[in-house]
Amino acid sequence: MWTIRQPAGTFYSPVGSGLALVPMSLTVFLTATFATGRLLTKYSPRALMVTGILLIGAGTALWMTTPQHGNYLLHVMPGLVISGLGQGLNFPSMTTSGLSGVPEHQHAVAGAVNVVAQQIGSSAGVAVLVLVAATGGTQLGSYHLAYLAAGAACGIGALGIAMVWRT
């Protein structure tokens, strides 16, 4: 049976692990569906991407505070929800930006390039974070180091997007 707080030394079942991620998925869905479209009428895709990436980084960096026997509601879920808000802002904004200025008959190709870039970035990011985690001392310290690196990478990415001037 899946519980919100696991006893020390136990792990979530596969179903429990999946259910633990529902708050992030739900936050992404709700933000992307009900907020981002409205926000794109007032703000540029770049502004929402910067905000989104900063939220993703903040949510991930929050996990650096998780103690060895932390509580899901206190230590994990807030980061999931904050990261979900960022993803909900970021993904539609990326698609909008990637398709702007592209002739309609080429939207499928532009959309595919956008998705491929996301997949390559995700794969490379995971590989780098595993490498970073492998350099840490304790298991928990390794995770905290990887979360710090992910948060810093999001900050650098947000800065890069903010500095790009589109002609």
Side-chain angles (χ1 to χ4, degrees):
M1 176 102 189
W2 181 73
T3 60
I4 290 189
R5 180 158 167 81
Q6 293 291 106
T10 63
F11 298 95
Y12 288 141
S13 69
V15 171
S17 295
L19 289 173
L21 294 175
V22 167
M24 181 172 63
S25 300
L26 190 59
T27 305
V28 172
F29 170 75
L30 292 172
T31 305
T33 303
F34 298 109
T36 305
R38 289 183 178 119
L39 290 170
L40 280 168
T41 64
K42 296 179 181 183
Y43 303 100
S44 71
R46 179 184 306 138
L48 294 183
M49 284 189 287
V50 168
T51 303
I53 291 174
L54 288 173
L55 286 169
I56 293 167
T60 304
L62 246 173
W63 294 329
M64 291 180 350
T65 65
T66 304
Q68 181 69 37
H69 301 291
N71 179 291
Y72 172 81
L73 288 176
L74 222 74
H75 299 105
V76 178
M77 195 166 120
L80 290 173
V81 171
I82 293 169
S83 291
L85 283 169
Q87 291 174 47
L89 288 174
N90 198 42
F91 294 144
S93 302
M94 285 172 49
T95 301
T96 299
S97 184
L99 296 179
S100 68
V102 175
E104 192 171 323
H105 70 278
Q106 293 180 326
H107 276 193
V109 173
V113 169
N114 186 18
V115 171
V116 167
Q118 289 177 38
Q119 295 298 318
I120 291 171
S122 295
S123 300
V126 168
V128 168
L129 292 177
V130 167
L131 181 64
V132 168
T135 64
T138 66
Q139 185 177 13
L140 184 60
S142 297
Y143 281 113
H144 287 171
L145 185 60
Y147 298 146
L148 174 64
C154 286
I156 292 167
L159 182 64
I161 292 170
M163 291 176 57
V164 171
W165 292 102
R166 195 167 187 179
T167 56

